[in-house]
Amino acid sequence: MQRGTLKNHDDTDVAVQINPEDTRKSIGHETVEAAQPASKEAVSSSTVAAESHVDIEPMKPQPDDECIAIMGMTGTGKSTFISMLVNDQVTIGHGLYSTTRNLDIYRCSGIFTKTVWLIDTPGFDDTEISDADIIRDIATFLARCFETGIRLSGVIYLHRITDPRMSGSAIKNLELFKLLCGKEAFPIVYLVTTRWNELAEGSADYQEAINREMQLCAGEKFWKPMIEAGSSVLRHERLDLSSTEAIVKSILQSRRKASLAIQIEMVVQKLCLNMTSAGEFLDNAYGKAKQRYERELQEIQDSWEEAHGERDYRAMAALDAERQDLVLRTEKVLQEQKDIKTDFQELRAKKMKDIRSKSARAAHSEPGHMNRSDRAGSASHPDVDARILEPPSRQVSSKSSSLVRLDTSGDTATVTKTSRKYTPSEPLQTRTLRGSVKQDDQRAIVARGAQSVKTFFENWLYG
C-alpha cells in the first residue's frame, strides 16, 4: 500500500492510500473513490481520508481479447490515435522531438464488444533512441507475446497525408515495417493516413492529398506490394472517438489474427535479431554507414596532411573537429550494430532485469507529496464528483461515424465512405473522485494507477 498526501480545498493535508495491486491502467475506465473517515475522532474536521480503488483484473490479455499494434514514423499521430480510445493521458508530441520513447501498452474496454489492447511503438526515426534499441524493444515484446500465445488482430501503420514526399527516413521506416510484418501478415496490416482534418474538403490541398494517397497505393516501393497481399487502406479523417472507433471496428470485424515474421524468426526459427529480415536490413544499413564514414575519414586525413604541409593551422583545427565528429559517429554505428547481435532469450533476460531494477528504484524512493506546493490561481473543488482526464473527444456523441476505405482492386481507385450511427456497445464509464481535493491531485492519483498497469503487464509477460 502506497501512501501520500494531497491538499484539501482549505489547504489542509489529505491522507491518501493507493494500492498498486488494485489499480486499472491505461485503458480502462477507472473509478477513484474517496472513503469516508472511520470516525470523527480519527480525523480532524478539516481533513479527509481518501483511498483509491481501481480494479485491474484482468491485467493480462484474455483469449477473447484483441491486440492491435500502432506503428509509423514519429509525428504521424500514434499517441493521438490511442488517446481517442483510452481514458488515461497519452503523451502527445507537438515539437521536433519524439515523445513515445518506449513501447507502451493500453487497454481499451467499454467501447467495443471485446477488450482491445493497443500497443504504442516508437518510430525508427526517433530523435532520442537508436534504431537498434527500438527494434530490440519491439522484437522482444512481439516475440514474448507470440511465445505466450498472443496473436495480433491488426497492425496499424500511420502515415501523414500532408507530407509532400516520401523522405529517405520514411522509406527506411516503411521498409523495416514490411520486414517486421512479413508478407504472410499483410492481410492484418491497415495503412491509415492521418492529418485529413487539417485539409478543407474540396480545396486544392485536399485534392493534392488524394493524389499523394493514389501514388502511395501505386508505388512499388511504397504500399502496392502490401495492398496486393491483402492490406487495407483507410483514412483517419477526424480527431474524435467515432472516426478512431470506425477504424478499430473494421479490424475487429475482419476476425483475422496472424503472427508477424519477426515473431516466427526469433521464437520458432531461433534466429539472432541481426539475422532476421528486419535485423539484416538494419545491419546492412549500419555496414554502409560505417563504410561511408571510413571514406570520409580518409578524405579528411588527406586534406589535413595537405593543410599541414601549407601550415594552415586554422584549416587543420577545423578538420580535426570534423574528424572527431566522424569518429564518434562511427563508434555509435559499431555499437548499434553490436547491439542487434543477440537472441530472444538474451533480450528477454535483459528486459526483465531492467524491469526489476526500475521496480527496485521505485520501491526505495522516498514517497513525496503528490501536490505539496500551493499553485496560484488553482481552483479548489469541494465535494467533487468530476470526470477526470476525460478529453472532449472522448465523450459519447450521437454523430454518425464514417469509415473511409480506398478500393484499388480495379483499374482505377475509388474512395467509398460508409456512414452509420455511432452507438457504443456499452455505456461509457467515467472515473469519479469523491472528496475534497484539487483537480491537480485528481490527475496525480490517476497517473499512479496508469503507471501500475504497464508494470503489472510487463511482469506477467517477461516473468
Side-chain angles (χ1 to χ4, degrees):
M1 186 75 71
Q2 299 177 357
R3 297 176 181 273
T5 59
L6 307 180
K7 283 290 183 180
N8 200 352
H9 66 281
D10 56 359
D11 285 334
T12 56
D13 285 341
V14 178
V16 175
Q17 292 179 323
I18 297 178
N19 186 354
E21 294 183 356
D22 202 16
T23 308
R24 187 190 296 274
K25 173 182 182 171
S26 45
I27 6 212
H29 307 288
E30 300 91 336
T31 299
V32 182
E33 296 184 351
Q36 296 302 318
S39 65
K40 292 183 179 180
E41 292 78 11
V43 187
S44 66
S45 59
S46 61
T47 304
V48 177
E51 182 172 2
S52 72
H53 294 286
V54 185
D55 181 24
I56 62 162
E57 292 296 335
M59 206 63 255
K60 61 184 182 181
Q62 300 301 296
D64 290 337
D65 290 355
E66 308 283 352
C67 293
I68 299 173
I70 318 292
M71 298 186 181
M73 290 184 63
T74 298
T76 54
K78 297 186 295 293
S79 298
T80 300
F81 185 94
I82 292 174
S83 70
M84 297 293 111
L85 297 169
V86 303
N87 276 345
D88 296 296
Q89 284 184 316
V90 181
T91 304
I92 300 170
H94 298 288
L96 296 176
Y97 296 95
S98 141
T99 54
T100 303
R101 298 184 179 180
N102 297 291
L103 187 147
D104 287 319
I105 308 135
Y106 297 88
R107 185 161 67 112
C108 176
S109 60
I111 301 178
F112 308 104
T113 55
K114 295 182 179 180
T115 295
V116 177
W117 295 81
L118 301 172
I119 305 161
D120 189 9
T121 64
F124 282 100
D125 60 331
D126 195 279
T127 52
E128 299 294 325
I129 310 175
S130 70
D131 287 346
D133 286 339
I134 292 171
I135 196 172
R136 282 164 60 99
D137 199 20
I138 293 175
T140 307
F141 179 85
L142 291 175
R144 182 56 183 154
C145 284
F146 178 86
E147 196 175 48
T148 55
I150 300 173
R151 299 294 182 267
L152 292 178
S153 303
V155 184
I156 296 175
Y157 187 84
L158 298 180
H159 176 81
R160 290 184 299 258
I161 198 61
T162 52
D163 287 354
R165 62 186 64 85
M166 287 286 282
S167 64
S169 59
I171 294 174
K172 170 189 169 185
N173 199 308
L174 180 61
E175 189 61 30
L176 271 170
F177 172 76
K178 293 177 184 177
L179 295 171
L180 275 171
C181 295
K183 188 174 181 179
E184 297 300 318
F186 282 171
I188 68 163
V189 169
Y190 295 81
L191 304 164
V192 179
T193 49
T194 62
R195 302 289 183 94
W196 289 95
N197 58 296
E198 299 177 6
L199 307 172
E201 191 168 353
S203 65
D205 289 340
Y206 190 87
Q207 185 58 48
E208 187 177 348
I210 292 175
N211 294 336
R212 280 196 293 269
E213 185 181 50
M214 300 292 291
Q215 291 171 7
L216 287 170
C217 295
E220 288 288 347
K221 290 185 178 180
F222 306 145
W223 295 356
K224 184 179 179 180
M226 290 186 287
I227 294 171
E228 290 177 342
S231 297
S232 302
V233 180
L234 306 174
R235 293 180 186 175
H236 191 216
E237 287 200 299
R238 300 183 307 280
L239 296 181
D240 59 15
L241 174 60
S242 61
S243 178
T244 311
E245 182 215 19
I247 292 173
V248 175
K249 272 191 173 181
S250 70
I251 296 175
L252 304 184
Q253 289 168 357
S254 71
R255 300 182 181 276
R256 288 193 296 258
K257 291 191 177 184
S259 301
L260 307 189
I262 190 75
Q263 296 175 309
I264 297 172
E265 290 169 334
M266 296 201 71
V267 180
V268 179
Q269 300 175 10
K270 300 187 182 303
L271 297 179
C272 288
L273 182 55
N274 66 307
M275 299 301 291
T276 64
S277 300
E280 190 175 11
F281 176 86
L282 204 54
D283 188 61
N284 290 337
Y286 287 138
K288 291 178 181 178
K290 176 176 172 290
Q291 293 176 0
R292 184 173 69 253
Y293 292 155
E294 288 175 345
R295 287 196 302 270
E296 292 177 6
L297 280 170
Q298 185 58 52
E299 291 173 1
I300 288 175
Q301 180 63 27
D302 294 342
S303 298
W304 188 92
E305 291 176 358
E306 182 179 344
H308 181 266
E310 297 175 357
R311 296 189 177 184
D312 189 345
Y313 301 113
R314 181 175 296 179
M316 290 168 61
L319 290 167
D320 280 335
E322 286 185 42
R323 176 163 49 193
Q324 183 61 28
D325 179 64
L326 272 175
V327 168
L328 292 175
R329 283 195 279 175
T330 303
E331 291 175 350
K332 182 174 181 290
V333 163
L334 292 175
Q335 182 59 52
E336 291 184 22
Q337 193 173 33
K338 179 182 177 181
D339 288 343
I340 62 174
K341 293 179 179 179
T342 181
D343 62 17
F344 170 52
Q345 296 306 323
E346 290 175 349
L347 288 171
R348 178 186 172 185
K350 184 180 184 305
K351 183 69 175 181
M352 199 60 223
K353 181 180 178 182
D354 292 343
I355 292 170
R356 287 171 179 164
S357 176
K358 183 172 61 176
S359 298
R361 288 196 302 270
H364 289 86
S365 63
E366 181 181 357
H369 287 181
M370 292 183 191
N371 184 18
R372 286 181 175 273
S373 61
D374 292 329
R375 292 177 172 82
S378 63
S380 59
H381 300 271
D383 301 323
V384 175
D385 184 0
R387 295 190 176 190
I388 306 171
L389 303 179
E390 196 77 29
S393 60
R394 184 67 178 79
Q395 311 302 325
V396 179
S397 170
S398 60
K399 295 181 179 179
S400 297
S401 63
S402 60
L403 175 62
V404 180
R405 184 183 298 273
L406 198 67
D407 181 11
T408 57
S409 58
D411 295 332
T412 59
T414 58
V415 177
T416 59
K417 181 182 293 188
T418 304
S419 298
R420 57 184 177 275
K421 199 71 172 179
Y422 167 63
T423 52
S425 57
E426 300 176 27
L428 285 177
Q429 304 171 31
T430 56
R431 296 180 296 265
T432 60
L433 177 67
R434 296 183 180 86
S436 301
V437 296
K438 294 180 180 179
Q439 187 71 20
D440 288 339
D441 298 331
Q442 299 171 8
R443 295 177 183 274
I445 291 174
V446 176
R448 283 200 174 188
Q451 184 61 35
S452 300
V453 174
K454 184 180 180 183
T455 301
F456 286 128
F457 188 99
E458 287 180 331
N459 285 330
W460 164 76
L461 188 63
Y462 298 108

